[in-house]
């Protein structure tokens, strides 16, 4: 789990995102992947098509380990999509979806 | 060429120090470059979130703040900045380059007469047992979380690998009041201690780096963070996520319980666009990776320049200089009566660049990774994370006659997943070079074809609706 430092700068604006159906407040500077790591950590982030558990590795658009469903669209690169108010995020726990 | 393409004189891919500096210099000359940025705000990786910093400067260090002037100048200049833009396709045409750009779920076609690639670097994919487990992340990824939201790991992590970033992150965590529990330095020891003696000039030019590194390590030690040097084995273990790290130090294996292992094994150019354009590349012995071949003006092909770490690892200041140099080269090609001799501005930039780059071989030697690493890892170690292909499967495919990266890809699916070989391409090259007794250049690399970013058919179809 990643927690916000108490030594950070001024408190950022918060937005509400819906993660697996639950409303959550997160700083609006975060990407989707960062928001999930902040709220829940890396455990349960994603299940790979071979059945193994996976979580973000690079956070910069390279590794594709952060794939996640955003507003009903599966396999989005969570590290490249900034959060916004009302966003619906679902962690992918099953087979790789066809789009 | 689609008829609805948007024309531009000059397109730049990337808005890190190189892309920003190139755009600013071109804007100064009265052009209005188009800048495509994968990120939502400019800065690249090094200056990420610097426009509205989330973390105290005392934590991040001065090098982070150095980018503020560049960001301010980029903001002021007349630049057609396009955030959230994935350049997923590019192709050389008679009079420039066609680009396919995905922005906010819509595809656009662009036609650029000149192109500057400034797409930067990525952390090197470096397979070790268990690196696919949740709880193993790149150190750079953890630093992105720090920049993006002042996010720190709740439990003290183990940091392992080699490169300046490893110590920088450890030091930043220390400054933030959350020191790591252990630092495992995995640089190849033989080159580390011999190199400064062999390169006294490099050591002198790089003395700033050396002193800074020494200060960081001393600060960690003072804070009671164990720093283990010459670690030559690493494994992450656990069920659904990392539970412990096993490492070999002075010939003996040790176990450390941890939920988070942050690895860093140096950085390499992000290769995808340059590879998809089939530009010439050559293996760089000292940087231990392929670099695209560039001329003295950073030109890599007709009407194409590569600036910054995407052309070779030189750091943020060098990237800024290269951005400006590429911009000057572009302006030269547009001048009515181009002069053969470079301008004073270009000469000064080149001198500064040469001086700065002269310190790099020392750094590269000090953080050199063991070349035989992969071949000494257990058979079950995943090389391709996307398609879950192990080193053992690749070895059997080589034994059955797989003679090159593209054959191995066809035999095993290695490199065929969504990251398109970014994480495994050079590992496969290393394995083949070792087994076949060939040079890295002779073995070569995957044939990279567009799209170089994942694009859905729905997104592709939007191109027809404009």
């Amino acid at each position: 789990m990643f927690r916000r430092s108490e030594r950070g700068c001024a408190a950022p604006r918060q937005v509400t995102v819906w993660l697996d159906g639950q409303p959550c407040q997160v700083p609006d500077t975060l990407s989707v992947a960062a928001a999930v790591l902040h709220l829940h950590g890396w455990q349960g982030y994603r299940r790979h098509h071979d059945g193994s558990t996976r979580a973000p590795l690079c956070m910069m658009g390279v590794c594709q380990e952060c794939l996640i469903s955003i507003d009903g669209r599966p396999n989005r690169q969570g590290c490249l999509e900034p959060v916004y108010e009302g966003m619906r995020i679902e962690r992918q726990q099953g087979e790789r979806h066809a789009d | 060429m689609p008829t609805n393409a948007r024309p531009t004189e000059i397109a730049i891919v990337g808005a890190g120090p190189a892309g920003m500096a190139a755009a600013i210099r071109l804007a100064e000359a009265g052009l209005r470059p188009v800048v495509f940025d994968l990120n939502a705000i400019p800065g690249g990786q090094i200056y990420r979130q610097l426009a509205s910093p989330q973390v105290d400067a005392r934590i991040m260090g001065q090098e982070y703040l150095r980018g503020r002037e560049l960001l301010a100048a980029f903001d002021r200049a007349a630049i057609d900045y396009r955030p959230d833009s994935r350049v997923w396709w590019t192709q050389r045409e008679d009079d420039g380059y066609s680009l396919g750009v995905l922005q906010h779920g819509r595809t656009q076609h662009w036609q650029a007469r000149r192109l500057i690639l400034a797409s930067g670097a990525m952390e090197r994919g470096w397979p070790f047992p268990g690196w696919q487990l949740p709880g193993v992340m790149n150190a750079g990824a953890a630093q992105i979380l720090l920049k993006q939201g002042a996010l720190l790991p709740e439990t003290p992590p183990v940091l392992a690998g080699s490169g300046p970033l490893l110590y920088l992150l450890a030091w930043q965590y220390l400054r933030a009041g959350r020191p790591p529990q252990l630092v495992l330095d995995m640089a190849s020891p033989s080159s580390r201690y011999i190199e400064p003696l062999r390169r006294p000039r490099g050591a002198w030019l790089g003395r700033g780096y050396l002193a800074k590194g020494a200060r960081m390590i001393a600060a960690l030690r003072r804070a009671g963070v164990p720093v283990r040097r010459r670690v030559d084995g690493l494994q992450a273990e656990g069920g659904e996520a990392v539970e412990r790290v096993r490492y070999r130090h002075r010939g003996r294996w040790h176990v450390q319980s941890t939920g988070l292992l942050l690895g860093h094994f140096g950085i390499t150019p992000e290769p995808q666009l340059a590879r998809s354009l089939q530009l010439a590349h050559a293996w760089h012995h000292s940087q231990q990776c392929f670099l695209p071949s560039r001329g003295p003006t950073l030109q890599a092909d007709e009407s194409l320049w590569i600036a910054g770490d995407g052309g070779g690892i030189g750091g943020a200041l060098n990237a800024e200089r290269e951005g400006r140099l590429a911009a000057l080269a572009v302006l030269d090609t547009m001048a009515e009566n181009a002069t053969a001799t470079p301008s004073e501005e270009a000469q000064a930039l080149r001198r500064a660049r040469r001086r700065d780059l002269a310190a790099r071989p020392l750094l590269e030697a000090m953080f050199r990774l063991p070349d035989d690493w992969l071949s000494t890892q257990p058979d079950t170690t995943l090389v391709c994370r996307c398609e879950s292909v192990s080193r053992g499967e690749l070895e059997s495919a080589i034994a059955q006659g797989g003679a090159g990266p593209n054959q191995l890809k066809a035999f095993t699916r290695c490199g065929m997943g969504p990251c398109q070989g970014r994480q495994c391409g050079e590992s496969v090259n290393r394995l083949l070079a070792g087994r076949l007794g060939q040079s890295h250049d002779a073995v070569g690399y995957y044939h990279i074809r567009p799209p170089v970013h994942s694009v859905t058919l729905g997104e592709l179809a939007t191109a027809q609706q404009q």
Side-chain angles (χ1 to χ4, degrees):
Chain A
M1 197 104 71
F2 284 84
R3 292 264 179 232
R4 197 167 162 86
S5 166
E6 304 84 43
R7 299 187 194 180
C9 291
R13 214 162 57 86
Q14 301 273 322
V15 292
T16 303
V17 297
W18 295 77
L19 176 57
D20 296 323
Q22 296 297 313
C24 312
Q25 295 268 307
V26 291
D28 73 344
T29 54
L30 297 186
S31 66
V32 172
V36 175
L37 292 173
H38 176 42
L39 293 166
H40 282 292
W42 45 90
Q43 300 220 19
Y45 188 98
R46 184 174 76 89
R47 203 166 277 280
H48 205 49
H49 56 84
D50 67 356
S52 63
T53 50
R54 297 290 178 92
L57 176 76
C58 80
M59 295 298 286
M60 51 187 281
V62 173
C63 73
Q64 308 270 339
E65 293 284 12
C66 63
L67 298 182
I68 198 159
S69 172
I70 299 173
D71 292 336
R73 295 170 304 143
N75 296 321
R76 311 313 295 184
Q77 279 175 275
C79 73
L80 294 180
E81 310 242 359
V83 291
Y84 50 78
E85 182 66 34
M87 179 185 255
R88 287 177 299 118
I89 306 165
E90 266 102 37
R91 289 179 286 179
Q92 298 181 180
Q93 300 299 335
E95 289 294 301
R96 183 151 57 177
H97 303 248
D99 199 12
Chain B
M1 242 299 288
T3 49
N4 59 354
R6 304 173 184 208
T8 179
E9 201 62 50
I10 170 87
I12 299 170
V13 182
M20 287 195 293
I24 293 165
R25 186 64 190 82
L26 290 165
E28 279 170 18
L31 291 167
R32 188 160 183 265
V34 180
V35 178
F36 299 110
D37 187 4
L38 192 57
N39 288 329
I41 46 173
Q45 301 308 333
I46 187 91
Y47 302 135
R48 181 183 280 272
Q49 204 62 46
L50 185 56
S52 56
Q54 299 297 298
V55 204
D56 200 304
R58 280 167 296 180
I59 294 174
M60 294 312 292
Q62 286 304 315
E63 271 161 34
Y64 182 54
L65 297 182
R66 202 168 56 191
R68 278 190 299 201
E69 279 173 41
L70 195 63
L71 276 169
F74 186 76
D75 196 45
R76 279 195 308 270
I79 293 161
D80 185 357
Y81 174 62
R82 293 173 173 265
D84 293 312
S85 295
R86 291 163 211 212
V87 179
W88 58 267
W89 167 69
T90 172
Q91 183 175 300
R92 191 168 155 197
E93 309 282 356
D94 288 340
D95 55 349
Y97 291 84
S98 281
L99 307 171
V101 183
L102 184 67
Q103 189 189 29
H104 304 142
R106 300 184 72 83
T107 273
Q108 305 161 348
H109 285 138
W110 284 80
Q111 168 71 17
R113 292 173 69 92
R114 294 168 181 83
L115 181 62
I116 297 178
L117 296 182
S119 31
M122 60 184 193
E123 286 181 281
R124 179 184 272 118
W126 194 252
F128 58 86
W131 73 307
Q132 72 278 15
L133 281 172
V136 179
M137 280 177 86
N138 289 340
Q143 198 191 43
I144 285 169
L145 292 171
L146 184 60
K147 290 174 180 170
Q148 215 173 59
L151 297 182
L152 295 166
E154 199 169 35
T155 50
V158 171
L159 269 58
S162 180
L165 180 58
L166 193 73
Y167 285 111
L168 176 60
L169 183 71
W171 181 81
Q172 287 169 337
Y173 278 174
L174 181 65
R175 303 281 288 180
R178 296 281 187 83
Q181 55 170 304
L182 176 65
V183 177
L184 304 175
D185 186 325
M186 301 175 66
S188 192
S190 56
S191 61
R192 163 159 298 174
Y193 299 101
I194 294 165
E195 208 56 28
L197 304 173
R198 194 183 285 163
R199 298 176 190 269
R201 178 176 144 78
W204 174 248
L205 290 167
R207 65 194 183 281
Y209 294 115
L210 297 182
K212 193 176 153 202
R215 273 200 303 275
M216 283 179 179
I217 293 168
L220 288 166
R221 289 224 157 106
R222 269 201 309 279
V225 178
V227 179
R228 305 262 184 269
R229 295 274 184 84
R230 307 184 185 214
V231 168
D232 60 0
L234 181 71
Q235 304 183 348
E237 294 178 349
E240 301 274 282
V242 173
E243 291 160 32
R244 62 200 160 269
V245 169
R246 209 177 279 278
Y247 65 96
R248 192 169 55 206
H249 184 232
R250 293 183 181 155
R252 284 184 49 206
W253 284 92
H254 304 261
V255 180
Q256 183 86 18
S257 291
T258 187
L260 182 61
L261 170 62
L262 300 174
H264 176 72
F265 299 92
I267 61 176
T268 66
E270 208 284 345
Q272 237 57 8
L273 280 175
R275 284 288 182 185
S276 74
L277 285 165
Q278 297 174 45
L279 301 180
H281 284 69
W283 185 265
H284 193 283
H285 173 75
S286 181
Q287 296 196 6
Q288 299 184 280
C289 60
F290 281 111
L291 303 183
S293 309
R294 303 182 291 175
T297 63
L298 310 180
Q299 191 160 11
D301 201 351
E302 185 73 34
S303 306
L304 175 73
W305 293 262
I306 301 180
D309 280 0
I313 306 306
L317 282 181
N318 177 66
E320 202 177 318
R321 287 193 195 106
E322 289 195 3
R324 228 172 294 150
L325 273 169
L328 293 175
V330 165
L331 292 170
D332 260 355
T333 65
M334 297 172 80
E336 288 284 313
N337 37 11
T339 51
T341 50
S343 65
E344 265 179 48
E345 183 186 1
Q347 285 181 34
L349 283 167
R350 282 193 202 178
R351 273 197 304 274
R353 177 167 178 258
R354 266 200 305 274
R355 196 178 53 233
D356 212 31
L357 290 183
R360 299 302 300 191
L362 173 76
L363 275 183
E364 288 153 8
M366 293 195 60
F367 294 110
R368 189 170 183 87
L369 294 163
D371 286 296
D372 61 349
W373 173 266
L374 184 54
S375 61
T376 64
Q377 297 306 297
D379 275 4
T380 51
T381 309
L382 289 193
V383 174
C384 170
R385 300 168 58 110
C386 297
E387 296 295 331
S388 303
V389 183
S390 68
R391 186 186 70 85
E393 287 167 79
L394 290 168
E395 300 277 11
S396 331
I398 296 171
Q400 285 163 30
N406 295 302
Q407 275 190 0
L408 286 193
K409 190 174 174 181
F411 287 3
T412 67
R413 296 192 60 81
C414 187
M416 219 181 263
C419 98
Q420 297 186 304
R422 287 167 170 91
Q423 297 283 318
C424 69
E426 292 192 348
S427 292
V428 164
N429 174 286
R430 284 164 186 279
L431 267 188
L432 280 162
R435 290 292 173 258
L436 305 177
Q438 294 179 0
S439 69
H440 295 288
D441 289 318
V443 169
Y445 196 79
Y446 295 135
H447 192 105
I448 300 298
R449 295 181 183 84
V452 301
H453 290 281
S454 39
V455 183
T456 67
L457 290 173
E459 287 165 342
L460 206 54
T462 61
Q464 302 308 314
Q465 297 159 10
Q466 290 164 14

